[in-house]
Amino acid sequence: MADMGMDFKAPKKSDLQAWKHLKNLYQVGIAFHSCGCTGPGYVPRDNAELIAHFQEIKQNYLENQRFWARRGKDPIGESEVAKDRHKNFGFLYSIPKKLKGGTRKAPQYDALQAQVYWSDRVKEVEEKIAFIRNT
């Protein structure tokens, strides 16, 4: 028994292909959880879509990793910090809080640890892709 979420609709018992796909979804962490208002979001219909979905996620993670690898010194001064925040908002706010320090006016980011963080996320996604391909 697995908690697939309140938006889950079970396929027919005889639809073994659908049940196998649901098992794969659950194994890689995709379920049908939501608040009930907007639904569970995107749920891939088959393994090919699932792999494509994870490939997109991997590309996003690699883009984040490259950003942190190229990032130089943290900006100094209110105007430079504001420009950095405006230009790189998605990258700056997608890392864990423990990698952020300093103050609002003089933030400091641990770029090396951010690279490690994104590298770990890439490995997790690659493991999920490998799992799907081997099923």
Side-chain angles (χ1 to χ4, degrees):
M1 186 67 97
D3 179 10
M4 292 299 286
M6 67 183 205
D7 294 317
F8 175 70
K9 304 231 182 333
K12 293 181 180 181
K13 280 184 182 181
S14 60
D15 191 351
L16 299 180
Q17 187 72 14
W19 283 106
K20 182 179 178 187
H21 181 63
L22 286 169
K23 179 183 174 189
N24 287 346
L25 289 174
Y26 185 74
Q27 293 281 336
V28 296
I30 296 178
F32 299 82
H33 295 284
S34 74
C35 67
C37 304
T38 59
Y42 175 67
V43 178
R45 290 179 291 180
D46 57 28
N47 282 355
E49 280 188 23
L50 188 55
I51 290 171
H53 175 67
F54 281 124
Q55 290 287 9
E56 287 179 32
I57 291 171
K58 179 181 170 184
Q59 288 304 325
N60 179 273
Y61 290 175
L62 288 169
E63 186 178 325
N64 276 277
Q65 188 179 17
R66 281 190 294 273
F67 169 81
W68 290 104
R70 289 188 313 258
R71 185 165 174 89
K73 296 178 183 175
D74 291 323
I76 299 173
E78 275 188 66
S79 67
E80 291 300 314
V81 168
K83 287 177 190 175
D84 185 46
R85 232 181 240 128
H86 178 72
K87 182 180 177 186
N88 302 311
F89 180 83
F91 298 114
L92 300 175
Y93 289 92
S94 62
I95 59 172
K97 286 184 178 183
K98 67 182 180 182
L99 303 180
K100 304 172 190 178
T103 64
R104 179 157 172 74
K105 291 185 178 184
Q108 297 173 335
Y109 300 93
D110 189 340
L112 183 59
Q113 286 302 310
Q115 289 176 62
V116 171
Y117 171 80
W118 288 112
S119 176
D120 291 345
R121 301 295 77 75
V122 168
K123 288 176 189 171
E124 289 173 6
V125 171
E126 287 174 341
E127 288 171 3
K128 290 178 181 184
I129 292 170
F131 172 81
I132 297 162
R133 285 188 172 140
N134 293 329
T135 59

